[in-house]
């Protein structure tokens, strides 16, 4: 719509915003009218109309099988559009049109804003299934007529009240018509069922909706007065009412077809099951985060016990083995700590990598400079946990074996992520040091070192990737990991 309005018409940005507000609301008019709506705006030179938006009803058959948006028609071809635009009134004159052997009644509703007519809504009703209307249909049509008059007068839609139609109640969910005093004159079967869910034991017709709603909802002190006023339809508002283990969503629309409030429309929807599922999900998320938090605490306790045990060891080799175990447990704890702060089972791995690098760097404080380049991005927990252990083992191996006692050096962790989707990406990770390099005849696939055995098992078994260690130029060692960025089934 933005492109069509800016390309073909003289409307300004504030007028365009008004049309957006109208289009966000006009599903309501379409459903109440059982009709298709097409919004026509005069072109810059005034010789044609351009259709900038279209809406089909959920309550009846469509009159247009084709998409009308973008069509241009010359002025004079559709007299009802001309009359509505020139005279600023709703035009219903004329016989039905025949489209592909289907009779269609056409009406034109001027769209007014601050005294100016911006365009015209063509309301097209398929007459093929016309029959004697029920009380429900008559209420729909009367409400549609009131809304159409408000659009023509520039009092609908309501400024500052843009509605999310995906989340708001719709006409078919439940409709209640109120008089000027807030008394129910009609309630659709779905609306009555929603109020029965709240605990209403009688009919709604003849009752003051505000008072009835407040009685059904739990007592909330001063808030009840606001609920009475809202449910009485005095202002355009949305709210939810909970009572008797049921939850209904209300949307009120004051009706002022001639400038004076004659009543209100109240759309309502039973959202009890939706809210119950949302609460279950919230509870489940909270439980998962609490589990990750407790796992992290337990791992830190294990690490602390191992650290205490290492201090009591007389053997230097034994102490170092326990310290390695502390770092392995710590790398897993870091992942669980991050997961305990998230709503899903995915983590920003760059933060985890930095913490792992900082933790392992304690082996040679101030002597070897460890840094990261590139981005790992967001990874699933099934990838993040083994990858953190792999990174820990490779860094430990580099810091312990690449540099002689007291020798200074650098270790760089580089990550390159490829692929744009969640299922086709890969991670290429290199760990490069400028130390003494690999000994002659060293085969990383056969080495018996526990750390390298852990790396091989995790990379090839759990992550479904490849692992290699080669000599770096001019000196040092390069470790190359190529793994999928998503869990392998």
């Amino acid at each position: 719509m933005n492109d069509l309005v800016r390309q073909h018409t003289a409307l300004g940005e504030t007028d365009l915003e008004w049309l957006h507000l109208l289009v966000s609301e006009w599903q309501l008019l379409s459903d109440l009218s059982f009709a298709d709506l097409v919004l026509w705006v005069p072109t810059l030179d005034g010789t044609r109309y351009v259709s900038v938006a279209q809406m089909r009803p959920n309550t009846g058959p469509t009159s247009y099988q084709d998409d009308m948006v973008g069509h241009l028609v010359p002025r004079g071809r559709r007299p009802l559009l001309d009359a509505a635009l020139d005279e600023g009134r709703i035009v219903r004159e004329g016989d039905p049109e025949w489209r592909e052997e289907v009779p269609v009644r056409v009406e034109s509703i001027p769209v007014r804003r601050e005294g100016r007519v911006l365009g015209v809504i063509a309301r097209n009703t398929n007459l093929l299934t016309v029959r004697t209307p029920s009380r429900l249909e008559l209420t729909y049509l009367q409400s549609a007529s009131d809304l159409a008059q408000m659009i023509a007068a520039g009092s609908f839609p309501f400024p500052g009240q843009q509605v999310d139609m995906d989340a708001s109640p719709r006409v078919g969910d439940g409709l209640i018509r109120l008089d000027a005093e807030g008394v129910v004159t009609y309630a659709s079967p779905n609306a009555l069922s929603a109020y029965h869910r709240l605990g209403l034991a009688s009919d709604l017709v003849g009752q003051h909706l505000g008072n009835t709603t407040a009685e059904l909802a739990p007592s909330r002190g001063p808030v009840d007065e606001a609920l009475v006023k809202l449910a009485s339809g005095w202002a355009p508002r949305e709210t939810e009412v909970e009572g008797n283990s049921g939850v209904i969503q209300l949307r009120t629309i004051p009706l002022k077809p001639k400038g004076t409030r004659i009543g209100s429309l109240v759309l309502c929807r039973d959202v009890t099951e939706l809210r119950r599922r949302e609460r279950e999900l919230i509870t489940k998320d909270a439980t998962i985060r609490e589990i990750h938090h407790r796992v992290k605490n337990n791992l830190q306790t294990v690490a602390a016990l191992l650290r205490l045990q290492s201090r009591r060891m007389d053997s230097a080799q034994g102490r170092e083995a326990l310290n390695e175990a502390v770092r392995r447990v710590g790398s897993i704890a870091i992942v669980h700590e991050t997961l305990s702060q998230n709503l899903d089972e995915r983590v920003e791995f760059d933060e985890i990598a930095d913490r792992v690098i900082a933790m392992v760097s304690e082996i040679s404080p101030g002597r070897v400079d460890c840094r990261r380049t590139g981005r790992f991005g967001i990874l699933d927990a099934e990838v993040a946990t083994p990858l953190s252990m792999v990174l820990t083992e490779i860094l430990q191996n580099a810091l312990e074996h690449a540099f002689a006692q007291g020798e200074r050096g650098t270790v760089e962790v580089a990550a390159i992520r490829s692929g744009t989707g969640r299922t086709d990406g890969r991670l290429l990770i290199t760990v490069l040091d400028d130390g003494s390099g690999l000994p002659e005849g060293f085969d990383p696939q056969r080495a018996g070192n526990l750390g390298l055995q852990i790396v091989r098992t995790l990379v090839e078994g759990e992550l479904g990737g490849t692992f290699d260690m080669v000599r770096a130029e001019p000196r040092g060692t390069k470790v190359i990991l190529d793994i999928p960025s998503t869990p392998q089934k």
Side-chain angles (χ1 to χ4, degrees):
M1 186 166 71
N2 287 353
D3 293 340
L4 289 170
V5 168
R6 290 167 181 157
Q7 180 182 352
H8 294 286
T9 78
L11 298 182
E13 291 300 316
T14 54
D15 295 331
L16 181 57
E17 285 301 316
W18 183 262
L19 295 185
H20 274 294
L21 190 60
L22 172 66
V23 168
S24 75
E25 292 272 29
W26 71 343
Q27 180 74 65
L28 175 63
L29 177 62
S30 178
D31 290 346
L32 290 172
S33 304
F34 308 98
D36 290 74
L37 306 178
V38 179
L39 178 58
W40 297 93
V41 180
T43 57
L44 184 61
D45 58 10
T47 62
R48 295 180 297 175
Y49 298 95
V50 58
S51 59
V52 298
Q54 180 178 1
M55 177 58 65
R56 293 183 173 90
N58 293 316
T59 52
T62 182
S63 302
Y64 286 111
Q65 297 299 327
D66 299 326
D67 188 359
M68 294 297 295
V69 175
H71 281 218
L72 289 161
V73 298
R75 186 177 171 88
R77 180 176 294 180
R78 302 194 177 185
L80 296 186
L81 295 181
D82 298 338
L85 183 68
D86 297 339
E87 301 171 23
R89 65 180 179 89
I90 299 175
V91 182
R92 297 190 176 92
E93 299 88 354
D95 296 327
E97 297 180 2
W98 287 84
R99 299 176 188 163
E100 298 179 358
E101 300 183 356
V102 175
V104 176
R105 183 175 64 242
V106 181
E107 304 166 75
S108 295
I109 305 167
V111 177
R112 192 183 304 272
R113 174 181 175 268
E114 296 181 353
R116 295 184 302 113
V117 177
L118 307 182
V120 180
I121 294 175
R123 181 163 55 175
N124 304 268
T125 307
N126 187 326
L127 300 178
L128 199 60
T129 57
V130 168
R131 53 187 173 78
T132 303
S134 64
R135 178 74 188 281
L136 171 69
E137 292 166 331
L138 287 173
T139 303
Y140 276 23
L141 293 172
Q142 181 57 54
S143 302
S145 177
D146 293 336
L147 284 178
Q149 292 182 57
M150 292 170 65
I151 291 172
S155 57
F156 186 84
F158 303 109
Q161 292 289 326
Q162 187 156 358
V163 174
D164 181 1
M165 291 305 297
D166 291 332
S168 294
R170 300 198 176 204
V171 170
D173 295 325
L175 179 141
I176 301 171
R177 176 86 185 217
L178 309 180
D179 65 14
E181 303 302 321
V183 176
V184 178
T185 60
Y186 177 79
S188 72
N190 284 347
L192 191 58
S193 296
Y195 266 81
H196 284 166
R197 188 71 177 263
L198 284 184
L200 181 69
S202 60
D203 195 1
L204 268 175
V205 175
Q207 298 199 41
H208 189 279
L209 187 66
N211 293 336
T212 300
T213 304
E215 290 170 2
L216 294 172
S219 178
R220 295 177 291 178
V223 181
D224 285 344
E225 187 174 333
L227 180 59
V228 170
K229 192 169 183 179
L230 185 148
S232 300
W234 287 95
R237 293 287 187 274
E238 286 195 36
T239 191
E240 286 189 4
V241 180
E242 185 170 357
N244 192 40
S245 301
V247 184
I248 65 171
Q249 188 179 14
L250 298 179
R251 183 191 175 198
T252 56
I253 304 166
L255 297 175
K256 303 176 182 179
K258 296 182 180 178
T260 302
R261 181 174 170 275
I262 63 168
S264 303
L265 278 182
V266 179
L267 304 180
C268 61
R269 178 172 61 175
D270 184 351
V271 293
T272 305
E273 293 305 313
L274 179 63
R275 296 296 175 258
R276 182 184 62 80
R277 288 196 296 270
E278 286 178 352
R279 288 168 184 156
E280 287 178 352
L281 287 174
I282 291 172
T283 302
K284 180 181 177 182
D285 288 340
T287 302
I288 291 173
R289 289 200 299 272
E290 177 63 20
I291 289 172
H292 284 303
H293 181 72
R294 293 190 181 189
V295 169
K296 182 263 297 184
N297 288 345
N298 290 339
L299 289 172
Q300 288 180 336
T301 301
V302 170
L305 292 173
L306 291 172
R307 197 175 293 112
L308 286 173
Q309 185 68 33
S310 71
R311 291 171 184 167
R312 295 174 176 269
M313 293 286 292
D314 295 329
S315 166
Q317 186 177 4
R319 279 198 304 274
E320 184 53 37
L322 287 175
N323 286 334
E324 286 183 2
V326 168
R327 287 189 287 272
R328 287 166 184 152
V329 172
S331 67
I332 303 174
I334 291 172
V335 177
H336 282 283
E337 181 180 2
T338 306
L339 288 169
S340 70
Q341 300 168 2
N342 293 344
L343 292 176
D344 56 16
E345 292 290 288
R346 309 189 76 210
V347 295
E348 176 63 64
F349 196 79
D350 296 313
E351 177 186 347
I352 293 174
D354 291 341
R355 294 180 62 181
V356 166
I357 291 171
M359 177 183 68
V360 179
S361 296
E362 295 174 359
I363 296 176
S364 54
R367 185 166 55 84
V368 179
D369 178 28
C370 294
R371 57 177 179 267
R372 171 180 64 86
T373 61
R375 282 183 54 81
F376 290 86
I378 297 175
L379 299 177
D380 291 324
E382 295 174 62
V383 175
T385 301
L387 182 56
S388 68
M389 287 194 65
V390 167
L391 197 57
T392 300
E393 296 299 332
I394 293 173
L395 289 172
Q396 280 188 165
N397 189 69
L399 293 174
E400 289 176 356
H401 303 295
F403 305 99
Q405 186 70 30
E407 184 182 4
R408 306 184 68 85
T410 60
V411 178
E412 180 180 288
V413 179
I416 300 175
R417 187 162 182 167
S418 62
T420 57
R422 282 196 59 180
T423 59
D424 61 354
R426 295 193 72 82
L427 265 174
L428 179 63
I429 305 164
T430 59
V431 180
L432 178 65
D433 67 67
D434 57 1
S436 58
L438 296 174
E440 289 294 333
F442 180 81
D443 184 357
Q445 303 302 326
R446 296 176 178 272
N449 178 288
L450 175 61
L452 292 182
Q453 288 181 10
I454 292 173
V455 170
R456 284 198 302 270
T457 300
L458 293 177
V459 171
E460 297 171 1
E462 290 200 32
L463 295 174
T466 60
F467 157 72
D468 198 9
M469 294 180 71
V470 296
R471 287 180 174 273
E473 295 297 338
R475 68 191 301 264
T477 304
K478 179 189 285 188
V479 180
I480 305 168
L481 304 174
D482 186 359
I483 64 172
S485 59
T486 52
Q488 301 302 291
K489 303 301 182 183

